[in-house]
Amino acid sequence: MSHQAETADRHAREVPFKLEELFYSRTDSRGVIIAGNEVFRRVSGYEWSALLGAPHKIVRHPETPRAVFQILWDAIQKGYPMGAYVKNRSKSGGWYWVFAVILPIDGGFLSVRLKPVSDFSDKMKQSYTTFSERERVEKIDPEESAGVLRKGAQADGFSSYTNFMAHALGHELAARDRQLRRTEDPRTQVLVEMNTAMERATKEQVGLLRSFEALQAVPNNMRIVASRLEPSGGPVSAISENYKASSVVISDRLRSFVAGEGNIFDQMSREVARALFLLGSNRVLSEMNAKFVQTDPVNGIDWATERELLNKLEKKASNDARAAMGKAASIAAQLTQQSREIRRQMLGLDTIRVLGRVECGRMRDNSGGLSATIDQLDGFHDDIKGRLEAIMRLSEEIEQSVARYLRQSKAA
């Protein structure tokens, strides 16, 4: 940004719009504006003649990191809904913050925006200014910059950036309802509950991976201890070999469970995030349709077509959300079952560990490190079993939330 532009931006003011107002815009596949509602036109400060046919970046503010648009583009190009906090700029140079829910549609994309008011949004607004400045100063490539944001979301305990934004959308909708003194919407309640369960489950996954990786070294340590304590084939050697053989089987199960590409935990995480975004999209589109007002004729916009399109999108989001919820629940059930099976296999390792503890006692002070190795096993086993049990509980919570949502949506 030039010095003159920076000076103008410092003197610009926030463009107001009401909390209850929602606005949308529709573009073709290249991002060229095709239509929108009157709130969009008013807040942007442009006339329809300037908006229609213009690239959507006409309202882009330089303090929204390019990484955000890269992540949005990557998702919607693959046919997935996505959301983001976005700082936009009006024609006058003023600015306004929105949380944008973006949906792929036939021939292009549609974005519905609401005013962000949660505590979560305050943190994002502060981080955007710093991050966009870093992009400019360091000349970071958008793809590389998007990777930084994705890693940041994972460091904050989210399984993916989509999960991170689904979490944000839930908070925004809940905060908006509170400020407008509305009754809590069941869809938002399910969205927040499932996000909370997934966030906790992701933390358990990270801890499980840590213990799983540390566990790999224990059989080797036992063999080293055995070589110092006794001739080949002695009781400690036999215990270490039995432990190694049993732990390899469990390690393979754990790897398919929480590590590696396509593991079942990540499958559930992706489906839950997708379901939650569709659920949030349905909620936003439902309100957008309820507030849809056909204004004066605009050359290039057929209001009847826009209303029909929004109604179809609301129904599609509802149907897609139910389908995604069902798939997420199915994977959650698999996750619960696999957790139980691995927990059962851990009991076999416990038996070998107890034999090692008995042998350690028999050797008394001549254990040569066996006691410390068994102590390590005690800690890793307890941690792994505890995390598996936590994941089982959280998976069951997700199944229950899905079941309740499906019952509510069927009744509605």
Side-chain angles (χ1 to χ4, degrees), residues 17-233:
F17 66 98
K18 296 176 182 178
L19 179 58
E20 61 268 28
E21 288 186 309
L22 294 174
F23 58 97
Y24 85 97
S25 55
R26 183 163 65 90
T27 73
D28 65 14
S29 59
R30 300 168 299 160
V32 173
I33 298 171
I34 296 174
N37 64 350
E38 177 59 23
V39 182
F40 168 56
R41 188 212 63 76
R42 189 194 79 225
V43 176
S44 73
Y46 291 93
E47 295 300 324
W48 283 120
S49 57
L51 286 172
L52 299 180
H56 207 280
K57 64 183 180 183
I58 191 173
V59 295
R60 183 179 297 185
H61 194 286
E63 284 185 6
T64 299
R66 292 185 299 164
V68 171
F69 296 110
Q70 183 69 42
I71 289 173
L72 287 171
W73 190 249
D74 287 347
I76 60 179
Q77 283 285 86
K78 294 174 183 174
Y80 300 136
M82 193 43 152
Y85 290 99
V86 178
K87 186 177 185 179
N88 282 333
R89 174 181 276 174
S90 69
K91 181 182 179 182
S92 66
W95 48 269
Y96 55 98
W97 280 96
V98 298
F99 187 94
V101 176
I102 304 176
L103 302 165
I105 58 175
D106 289 341
F109 312 102
L110 182 137
S111 171
V112 180
R113 274 94 84 191
L114 54 89
K115 181 188 280 290
V117 290
S118 73
D119 293 341
F120 198 73
S121 68
D122 293 335
K123 298 175 184 177
M124 294 299 293
K125 290 174 184 179
Q126 293 171 9
S127 68
Y128 269 32
T129 302
T130 303
F131 197 80
S132 58
E133 179 65 20
R134 179 185 168 191
E135 282 183 331
R136 286 193 295 272
V137 172
E138 298 180 20
K139 295 182 172 58
I140 305 176
D141 176 82
E143 187 62 51
E144 179 186 350
S145 186
V148 174
L149 286 189
R150 291 187 176 105
K151 288 179 181 176
Q154 291 174 344
D156 286 339
F158 296 95
S159 57
S160 66
Y161 200 82
T162 303
N163 187 248
F164 177 48
M165 283 295 101
H167 173 88
L169 177 56
H171 275 268
E172 291 304 332
L173 290 171
R176 190 165 178 269
D177 284 342
R178 285 194 299 270
Q179 290 198 24
L180 291 173
R181 301 182 183 279
R182 293 175 174 172
T183 303
E184 188 176 54
D185 186 278
R187 288 165 294 186
T188 304
Q189 184 179 2
V190 170
L191 201 162
V192 172
E193 284 178 1
M194 289 182 66
N195 264 313
T196 300
M198 274 307 307
E199 188 178 357
R200 288 161 54 202
T202 300
K203 290 177 181 176
E204 296 296 342
Q205 180 203 23
V206 171
L208 190 58
L209 275 171
R210 192 179 301 119
S211 289
F212 158 63
E213 290 167 355
L215 191 65
Q216 308 307 298
V218 174
N220 289 332
N221 292 341
M222 291 182 73
R223 286 197 300 274
I224 292 170
V225 170
S227 68
R228 292 201 303 262
L229 291 175
E230 60 190 12
S232 177

Side-chain angles (χ1 to χ4, degrees), residues 332 336 340 391-401:
T336 301
R340 289 197 182 102
I391 288 174
M392 280 190 284
R393 289 195 302 272
L394 293 166
S395 297
E396 288 166 357
E397 282 183 28
I398 288 171
E399 287 185 78
Q400 291 165 5
S401 292

